[in-house]
Amino acid sequence: MEFSLMHAGLAAGAAMAAVPVILHLFMRPTPKHVVFPALRLIRERQKKSKKKMRIKNWLLLAARMLVLALMALALARPRLHSETPLGDDSVPTALGLVFDTSLSMSYREQDETLLDQAKARAREIIGRIPDSSLVFAVNSADPGVPVGLSPATARKWIDDLTIRPVNRPLNMAMGQVYSAVADCDRPRREVYVLTDLGRTSWDAERPAEGLDQVEKARQAKAAGGQIATVILKLGPEERENVSLDEATLPQNTAPQGEPVEIRGLVRAHGNKPAQRIVEFYLDGVKKGQQPVDLAAGGQAEVRFLTPPRLKEGEIHRAELRVTGAPDPLKFDDQRFLSFEVRPALKVLIVSDLNADSEFVAMALDPDPTPGAGRSYQLERARPADLDRFRETLHEFAAVFLLNVETLDDSRWGLLNAYVHEGGGLVVGLGDRCKAENYNGPIAGQVLPAQLARAVSPPGKGTTFGKIADVTHPLFDRYAREMDAQFAVMPVYSYWQVQPPSGSRTLLNFADGAPALVERNFKGARTGRVLMWSTPLARRVVRSDRAAWNEFPNVSYWVFPVVMNLTIPYLAGSTGEQLVFDAGDDVLLGFGPDARPQDVLITGPDGKSTDRLAPPPAGEPLKIAAPQQIGQWTVVAVGPGDARKTMGFSLNPPRAESRFADLETADLDVLFGKDGYALAGDDKALKKVTELIRVGHEIFPWLMLLILILVTLENYLANTFYKEPTGQADVTATSTGMAQAGA
C-alpha cells in the first residue's frame, strides 16, 4: 500500500501545529518570588505534584499540536492505494477491455444476455475516461494484437461484438492486452475483464499470459504507472437451465432396413426441478416427442427410433430439441446428428474349431434370431472352405483367422491379395497355430509379425498392459476405461512375436510383450492386418490347453466393444465421422473411386455457398474448423455435372452448458493473490474503480482521531482546574498555622 494526497498543498497547514508551542513560549508567565513564613508543608506538597503537572502540560501541548496537524492533513484528503495514484477522471488512460464471447455468455437475465451486460458496462467504463485515452479491446474468439482505439471508435467495436461458438482460453487474450497497455504512453493503465467466470473459458492450471509486463510496469512506475486489473463477473450466482447434453448414434452408418436408435441426455442445472418435452426430428420432419421430469440437478435419458426403411446411400439428418418452457440458455436446447444407411457389412470368420469363433460371432451378432436387426452379416468357414470365396472375398469388410493350425500357400496367397486390394484381416493366435507355417514366405508378406514361441508366464500369468496408441480408432473413445479393464484381465499364455519395422504395436502385455500388432498396406484402398498374440476365445476349464486368457469373459465389456470397433476400422468407415463439435476440423471421404471436379459447401443458414478445391483421389475433403452450429451440406460435382450430396452435423461443445465458476484460488493462480480486483455489480465496480484510481479514503478515520484528541485535550485542560483530593485540608491547615504564627 502507498500513501498519497489529493490536495497536497493543504498538507502544509500541518505547520500550524507549531502555534501552541509558540504561544506557550511567548505567553508563559514570569514566576514571582514571594517569601511566606512557615510554608514548609506546602513546599513539600509542591515538590510531589510538580512532576505530574509538567507531564500534563506536555501531553496537553502535544494534543493541541496533533489536533491542528490532523485537521490540515484531513483537508488534504489523504489516500492509501495499491495502484496508480491518479484519481482525476481527466487523466489520459490506456484502457484494456477483454470480452468473454463464449456460448455461456448468451445466458439471458432480465431480457438481455450476459454479453449485452458486458457491452453496457464497457460503455460506462469508457464514459469515465477522457477522449485523449486509448482503448485496447479483444475478445476470446479472435487472436491478434489489439490496436489503440479512440473511445468513440471503441464504442462502435463493442456494438459489433457477438457470441462465438469457438473461443480460446482468456489467458491468451490477457497476454495480448497486457502487452499493448504496457507499451502505451498514457499515464494511467487499467485492464477490465468482462466474463461470467466460467471455468471452460480459462485454463485455470496456468497463469494468465503477460504478467511479466504487469510486473515490469510495477517496478518502473516512472514509465507511466502500474497496470490495474479488474475482473467484472457477470450473471447470477446460481443459474437455472435445462440442457440437452448428449445426442448419440450407435455409429455413423446404419444397416439397411433396420431402425436406428437415437439417444439423448437431458440435464437440469440449478436448484429447481423442471419439466420439459424433447422433440425428435428426422430430415426436417417431426417424428415424435417425449416428456421428461427432472429433479433439481438431475438428468433423464430419452430414446427414439427412426423408421425401419430409410433410403440407402443418403445422408439422413436427425435433431433433438428441448421445448416446453422458456429457457435462459438457447444454444444447448438442440443437438444435431447425421448418419448414412448402408447394407450390413459382411464378415467372414475362419477357424478350425467352433469354440474358437463363437465369441467373436456372439460379439458381432448377439441376436442370431432370423429377422432380427443386425449391423453385420456373418459367415463361418473352415480353412479348406476359403477356396469357394476366391471370387467373392472382396465383398467382405473383414476376415477373421482364429487359431487356425495351418494354411497352404494358395490360401495364404488369397488372403495376401485380399489385403493388398484394401481388405481387412484379423489374426487371432492360439494353441493350434504352427509357427513354421505362419512364418512362411507368403504368410510373411501379409502378417504383421513373426511367431517366435508360445509363452506361459509363471504363477497366475500376466495381464494386458497399457494401450500403446490411445489415438488409434480402436481405443480413442474409451482409452482410459479400457486401460482399467485390461490391467485386471488375466492372460495365461501368449505367442511371443517379433514385429518387423513396417508394423506397429497397439497394445502390450503387462510384461512388455506385444499383444496387438498392426500392419497397413497402402493402395487405392488401405489394407489392414491386426494380429492378436493371444486367442480371441476362452475356455471355461482352466486346465484346457486352449485356455490362454479371459479376454472374452462376460465380466469384461472391452471384448465386444473392441470387436465392434474393429469391423468399421478395417472397412475404412471409422474415419467417416459425420458429427463434430464446433471448431473441429471436418474430414469427409468421397470413396476410393470418386473423382469430384468441384465441391460446394453450404452452412446451416443456407444463405451462402462456398466453393472448395476437391482433394486428390482417394484423400478425404478437409473443412478447416467450421463454427456455425447446425446441419451442413456438401455437394461433390463430378463429370457431366453428376452430383453427390453429403453433409455433417456441428454441435456446440458440451462443456459450455456445464456451469462451473472459477474460485478465488483459481483467480489467485491466474493473476496472483494481489494482482486483481473482483467486482460483481455496478456498485462494486464503481467502488473498485475508485479504489484503484484514488485509493482508500482516510478522511473519516482522521476525523474520528481528531474527535478523540479534542476530547483528550479537554480532559487534560480540565485537570488543571480540578482540586486534588485532600487539597482543602492542606490549605486549611496551612492557613491555621499562618494565623497561629502571627
Side-chain angles (χ1 to χ4, degrees), residues 301-383:
E301 185 182 59
V302 294
R303 300 188 181 192
F304 299 95
L305 286 176
T306 67
R309 297 188 179 277
L310 296 176
K311 192 171 181 180
E312 181 184 345
E314 289 188 359
I315 301 296
H316 294 275
R317 312 295 184 87
E319 179 185 349
L320 296 183
R321 300 179 188 172
V322 175
T323 62
D327 195 75
L329 203 57
K330 296 294 185 182
F331 82 87
D332 58 7
D333 292 342
Q334 293 175 285
R335 293 197 79 84
F336 305 91
L337 299 168
S338 295
F339 62 94
E340 184 178 4
V341 175
R342 294 180 180 177
L345 296 174
K346 298 176 67 175
V347 179
L348 178 62
I349 304 176
V350 181
S351 64
D352 291 334
L353 305 175
N354 287 337
D356 289 320
S357 63
E358 64 182 7
F359 290 96
V360 172
M362 189 180 302
L364 298 177
D365 189 10
D367 185 4
T369 305
R374 50 181 52 87
S375 299
Y376 307 113
Q377 182 181 337
L378 304 185
E379 285 194 46
R380 298 199 206 185
R382 296 287 182 256

Side-chain angles (χ1 to χ4, degrees), residues 207-546:
E209 296 180 8
L211 293 184
D212 56 332
Q213 300 286 341
V214 178
E215 180 62 21
K216 287 180 182 178
R218 187 186 69 82
Q219 295 177 357
K221 298 173 189 175
Q226 303 180 52
I227 300 176
T229 301
V230 179
I231 301 171
L232 184 54
K233 183 183 183 303
L234 303 163
E237 290 297 326
E238 187 65 40
R239 301 192 192 187
E240 303 293 337
N241 180 45
V242 174
S243 65
L244 184 59
D245 279 5
E246 294 180 7
T248 58
L249 290 161
Q251 54 194 38
N252 295 317
T253 59
Q256 185 181 16
E258 301 298 334
V260 178
E261 183 182 60
I262 295 175
R263 300 181 182 183
L265 184 65
V266 188
R267 188 187 306 273
H269 305 265
N271 298 320
K272 297 179 181 179
Q275 293 181 333
R276 294 291 190 273
I277 296 173
V278 181
E279 299 176 343
F280 168 50
Y281 291 80
L282 181 64
D283 296 328
V285 179
K286 185 177 178 180
K287 295 294 184 179
Q289 66 180 37
Q290 291 183 26
V292 291
D293 291 326
L294 300 166
Q299 64 183 33
E301 185 182 59
V302 294
R303 300 188 181 192
F304 299 95
L305 286 176
T306 67
R309 297 188 179 277
L310 296 176
K311 192 171 181 180
E312 181 184 345
E314 289 188 359
I315 301 296
H316 294 275
R317 312 295 184 87
E319 179 185 349
L320 296 183
R321 300 179 188 172
V322 175
T323 62
D327 195 75
L329 203 57
K330 296 294 185 182
F331 82 87
D332 58 7
D333 292 342
Q334 293 175 285
R335 293 197 79 84
F336 305 91
L337 299 168
S338 295
F339 62 94
E340 184 178 4
V341 175
R342 294 180 180 177
L345 296 174
K346 298 176 67 175
V347 179
L348 178 62
I349 304 176
V350 181
S351 64
D352 291 334
L353 305 175
N354 287 337
D356 289 320
S357 63
E358 64 182 7
F359 290 96
V360 172
M362 189 180 302
L364 298 177
D365 189 10
D367 185 4
T369 305
R374 50 181 52 87
S375 299
Y376 307 113
Q377 182 181 337
L378 304 185
E379 285 194 46
R380 298 199 206 185
R382 296 287 182 256
D385 297 332
L386 275 174
D387 294 335
R388 65 185 175 90
F389 295 100
R390 287 188 178 274
E391 301 299 326
T392 59
L393 194 60
H394 67 278
E395 299 175 359
F396 288 86
V399 175
F400 282 80
L401 193 66
L402 303 177
N403 200 15
V404 171
E405 184 174 7
T406 60
L407 289 179
D408 61 26
D409 287 348
S410 66
R411 291 169 185 140
W412 278 119
L414 176 62
L415 294 177
N416 190 4
Y418 165 73
V419 170
H420 278 80
E421 291 174 359
L425 175 64
V426 181
V427 179
L429 303 178
D431 66 297
R432 298 176 57 82
C433 299
K434 302 296 184 183
E436 59 273 14
N437 182 264
Y438 282 72
N439 294 339
I442 300 179
Q445 295 177 24
V446 66
L447 295 181
Q450 294 279 301
L451 278 62
R453 62 189 180 92
V455 176
S456 298
K460 295 183 179 180
T462 185
T463 64
F464 288 97
K466 291 283 187 181
I467 296 171
D469 183 3
V470 296
T471 64
H472 194 277
L474 294 182
F475 307 119
D476 62 348
R477 294 187 189 178
Y478 314 107
R480 184 180 301 175
E481 295 84 353
M482 288 181 175
D483 266 338
Q485 287 219 335
F486 280 138
V488 297
M489 194 179 294
V491 176
Y492 311 121
S493 300
Y494 61 84
W495 275 96
Q496 195 173 67
V497 298
Q498 299 172 344
S501 58
S503 301
R504 60 172 176 161
T505 300
L506 305 179
L507 176 68
N508 291 310
F509 294 111
D511 59 8
L516 175 60
V517 185
E518 180 182 29
R519 184 178 181 184
N520 295 332
F521 299 87
K522 296 294 184 181
R525 289 183 57 192
T526 300
R528 308 179 192 277
V529 182
L530 299 172
M531 175 184 280
W532 290 88
S533 58
T534 193
L536 300 180
R538 66 181 292 266
R539 300 293 190 270
V540 177
V541 181
R542 173 69 180 85
S543 59
D544 192 318
R545 63 187 296 267

